[in-house]
Amino acid sequence: MSKPEEHLALAIQLALDNVRTRKGRPFGAVLVKDGQIVATGVNTVLSSHDPTAHAELEAIRAVARKQQNQRLDGHVMYASGHPCPMCLAAMYLAGIRQVYYAYSNEDAEPYGLSTGSLYAELAKPLSEQSMQLAYMPLRPAEQDLYEAWRQIDRGPSKTS
């Protein structure tokens, strides 16, 4: 078995062990950099009561804290199941650009584990989605929020 297949097999084994210990849903993830495993994660939604405690996010959180860096460029994610939109977005935000998964949304559908309907919902224009998302441009009087970020992030303006 090649390394990528071994990493994917480990993600599946983590998911299976997770089911057997009843900590969460049947999902496991392995995060790899330069061929080496740097973090693993399992879905702990049931035991943690945290709807964001997905395997991929747990692996991302672990390595980001360990490396003290939110950018994970060059890392490769191996997931037992098709990543949900939240996990996919997190991988994009972290700079992960390569993902392998073993079970598709179609494989998961008969078990109520598919996120296909969520992908379909998010593909709709915002005005047609079931969640109300309302833009309300409120600005604090003392200082603009994003301007405060720029000053802290980059220091005072170079023009002053």
Side-chain angles (χ1 to χ4, degrees), residues 3-159:
K3 280 281 191 191
E5 289 168 332
E6 289 173 12
H7 299 319
L8 200 51
L10 176 57
I12 294 166
Q13 187 60 54
L14 289 167
L16 190 55
D17 292 345
N18 198 47
V19 168
R20 290 178 177 148
T21 60
R22 300 182 183 268
K23 291 183 181 170
R25 295 182 178 134
F27 300 104
V30 175
L31 199 50
V32 173
K33 172 77 183 231
D34 299 325
Q36 300 299 310
I37 296 171
V38 294
T40 62
V42 294
N43 179 295
T44 60
V45 168
L46 299 177
S47 61
S48 69
H49 309 289
D50 177 355
T52 70
H54 290 199
E56 299 91 336
L57 290 184
E58 294 298 301
I60 289 169
R61 289 172 181 146
V63 76
R65 285 185 195 117
K66 182 178 172 183
Q67 295 179 6
Q68 296 186 354
N69 190 348
Q70 75 274 10
R71 294 295 305 175
L72 302 178
D73 300 280
H75 288 71
V76 180
M77 180 67 75
Y78 295 87
S80 61
H82 188 286
C84 76
M86 174 182 65
C87 292
L88 192 65
M91 287 184 263
Y92 270 109
L93 289 171
I96 297 168
R97 295 295 182 257
Q98 207 170 4
V99 182
Y100 298 92
Y101 61 96
Y103 286 79
S104 69
N105 272 323
E106 292 75 23
D107 296 330
E109 186 66 38
Y111 305 95
L113 297 168
S114 174
T115 57
S117 61
L118 185 52
Y119 273 101
E121 178 72 13
L122 292 173
K124 296 177 186 176
L126 287 176
S127 62
E128 295 176 22
Q129 292 181 15
S130 61
M131 179 188 291
Q132 180 183 350
L133 185 64
Y135 174 61
M136 297 177 66
L138 179 64
R139 303 294 185 263
E142 71 273 5
Q143 184 178 19
D144 182 75
L145 175 63
Y146 291 164
E147 187 56 39
W149 167 252
R150 179 186 4 220
Q151 290 175 6
I152 290 171
D153 187 45
R154 297 188 208 159
S157 173
K158 303 297 181 202
T159 58

